[in-house]
Amino acid sequence: MVTVADYRGRVRPDWCPACGNFAQLSAISGALTELSIAPKDVVVVSGIGCSSNMPEFINTYGFHGLHGRLLPVASAIKWANPKLTVIAYGGDGDGFFEGTQHFYHSAKRNINIKYIVSDNQTFGLTTGQASPTAPLGRVTKSTPFGNPEKPVNPLTFALSAGATFVARGFSGDTIFLKEIIKKAIMHKGFAFVDVFSPCVTYNKIETYDYLRQRVYKLDTDVTDFDKAYKHAQEEGDRLPTGVFYDVTEKIYDDYDPVISKESLNEVPPYKFTEKTLEEFL
């Protein structure tokens, strides 16, 4: 029997008190526990940022890699051993700036991994610069005259790229977030969950109170792309949370004759022969 305690890491989180990442750690651990997935069957992959310290704080296999490069690593792990539950976890700066292309192509390829992003509209680890989801005109350390860039919409981006599961959660509602993550884990294909997650130290505007007054739970046909896209564009005083889109399509493995045949970790190492090497001469 798997318990939440089984997922408790040996290292205590060093996030700021009340950071939204605590709720996500709890929601991810709770979701995996309720799905009876053992820690030995899970890999958490991250990039760089406050949230990307997650692999140190959860008792699973983990990989803490380069800024924005978590999705290629997560993809390779999944292809090597499809039996594993692979969760890529990072922040909005990591995912929607450095990792934009990886995000797009992972969604387009419908790779069977789960991508959870802690979205707080700021680069928290480097003490509060404007991130790709920071609003136009936001004054930060890096934008003293106001952010000159329009914010990225992660949901419409994921839908446009071809993601087959798109959802949004809120760190102020851990139980609902856990249910969303459970659905993402059970989804076969690329599952993207954007999480409104207040940075209590460097973002004094999108606070828990600010978001609680605006978020609502979505009730929609999750197979209707047009409805999903329309809801994903909502902003201002109405911010939907829940599953926007959830459809079943072939995953990348189904199209690849090598990966679909057997796990890469079961394929014998390729042996270079003299004849093979002659092709490079």
Side-chain angles (χ1 to χ4, degrees):
M1 179 180 178
V2 181
T3 67
V4 172
D6 294 328
Y7 278 99
R8 191 169 298 138
R10 296 180 180 179
V11 180
R12 292 185 62 183
D14 57 357
W15 295 314
C16 300
C19 172
N21 294 337
F22 284 104
Q24 294 174 70
L25 173 59
S26 176
I28 293 170
S29 300
L32 291 165
T33 300
E34 293 185 14
L35 292 173
S36 297
I37 300 173
K40 68 178 181 61
D41 296 324
V42 181
V43 183
V44 176
V45 184
S46 69
I48 297 296
C50 293
S51 53
S52 292
N53 290 329
M54 178 70 83
E56 283 81 32
F57 308 144
I58 187 168
N59 184 34
T60 67
Y61 288 103
F63 187 98
H64 194 164
L66 300 175
H67 213 348
R69 305 295 182 253
L70 71 174
L71 292 175
V73 176
S75 301
I77 293 171
K78 186 65 178 180
W79 286 329
N81 189 350
K83 296 178 182 177
L84 295 171
T85 296
V86 181
I87 298 173
Y89 181 81
D92 48 303
D94 184 74
F96 310 146
F97 191 80
E98 284 85 356
T100 305
Q101 285 300 311
H102 296 310
F103 179 22
Y104 181 86
H105 288 287
S106 298
K108 179 170 72 71
R109 292 166 179 162
N110 199 25
I111 301 170
N112 191 18
I113 57 176
K114 321 306 160 193
Y115 185 31
I116 302 171
V117 175
S118 180
D119 190 350
N120 56 20
Q121 295 88 47
T122 188
F123 280 97
L125 186 65
T126 49
T127 71
Q129 294 79 23
S131 84
T133 53
L136 181 68
R138 174 65 51 83
V139 175
T140 71
K141 289 182 177 178
S142 61
T143 55
F145 304 110
N147 182 17
E149 301 180 27
K150 294 180 180 178
V152 168
N153 184 327
L155 301 179
T156 56
F157 187 90
L159 288 166
S160 299
T164 50
F165 183 99
V166 177
R168 176 194 280 152
F170 171 41
S171 285
D173 189 345
T174 309
I175 294 176
F176 189 49
L177 176 59
K178 179 187 67 179
E179 295 304 317
I180 293 171
I181 293 174
K182 283 169 64 178
K183 292 177 181 177
I185 292 172
M186 291 187 290
H187 176 79
K188 186 177 181 181
F190 186 81
F192 170 64
V193 183
D194 187 48
V195 184
F196 284 146
S197 189
C199 175
V200 295
T201 302
Y202 297 109
N203 184 345
K204 303 299 184 183
I205 298 176
E206 283 86 10
T207 63
Y208 285 102
D209 287 341
Y210 175 95
L211 290 167
R212 281 198 183 96
Q213 294 171 12
R214 289 164 175 79
V215 298
Y216 76 94
K217 293 176 182 174
L218 196 59
D219 182 14
T220 186
D221 177 4
V222 296
T223 64
D224 190 322
F225 180 89
D226 292 335
K227 284 185 178 179
Y229 201 91
K230 183 179 179 181
H231 285 301
Q233 291 179 298
E234 291 185 55
E235 57 184 10
D237 292 335
R238 295 278 289 168
L239 301 173
T241 58
V243 178
F244 290 66
Y245 193 58
D246 184 2
V247 295
T248 301
E249 294 181 4
K250 285 186 175 181
I251 62 174
Y252 185 88
D253 308 32
D254 296 329
Y255 295 99
D256 189 297
V258 175
I259 297 175
S260 63
K261 186 178 179 182
E262 54 191 340
S263 304
L264 294 183
N265 65 341
E266 296 174 351
V267 177
Y270 184 80
K271 294 183 179 178
F272 280 97
T273 62
E274 188 173 328
K275 184 178 180 182
T276 305
L277 295 173
E278 286 177 353
E279 297 178 4
F280 296 94
L281 297 177

